[in-house]
Amino acid sequence: MKLPWSSKAACKGLAPDIFFPSSDDDAEAEPAKVVCGVCPVREACLEHALAVREKDGVWGGATERERRRMIRQRRRTA
């Protein structure tokens, strides 16, 4: 599925394994987070991952664990 913002993503054309580290370890996720840090569509990417409950990888600069935390926080404040 082509997402409207994905063509502008900083990760476009990079090796996917950067964004899918073998563990949820922050050190392994750091290379992806660096790319996400300069991405013009980081927020749209993160919101997509939160909306569809992406289980794996770094999306919008957040690991799976970080996204789960964000979802819990949003539920508490809703």
Side-chain angles (χ1 to χ4, degrees):
M1 177 171 96
K2 178 105 167 81
L3 302 168
W5 47 265
S6 64
S7 65
K8 298 176 186 145
C11 62
K12 186 176 178 182
L14 297 180
D17 60 326
I18 294 170
F19 300 92
F20 295 93
S22 58
S23 75
D24 205 27
D25 177 59
D26 286 337
E28 284 194 42
E30 192 57 31
K33 288 182 170 201
V34 169
V35 174
C36 294
V38 298
C39 184
V41 295
R42 183 190 65 76
E43 289 181 30
C45 179
L46 177 58
E47 288 304 321
H48 163 76
L50 293 171
V52 301
R53 304 288 203 265
E54 283 289 349
K55 297 286 184 209
D56 299 309
V58 176
W59 290 79
T63 63
E64 177 187 355
R65 184 175 355 118
E66 292 166 333
R67 292 191 305 274
R68 283 194 313 260
R69 188 178 317 126
M70 288 175 200
I71 290 168
R72 283 193 305 272
Q73 288 172 340
R74 287 182 179 188
R75 278 191 206 134
R76 277 185 235 136
T77 60

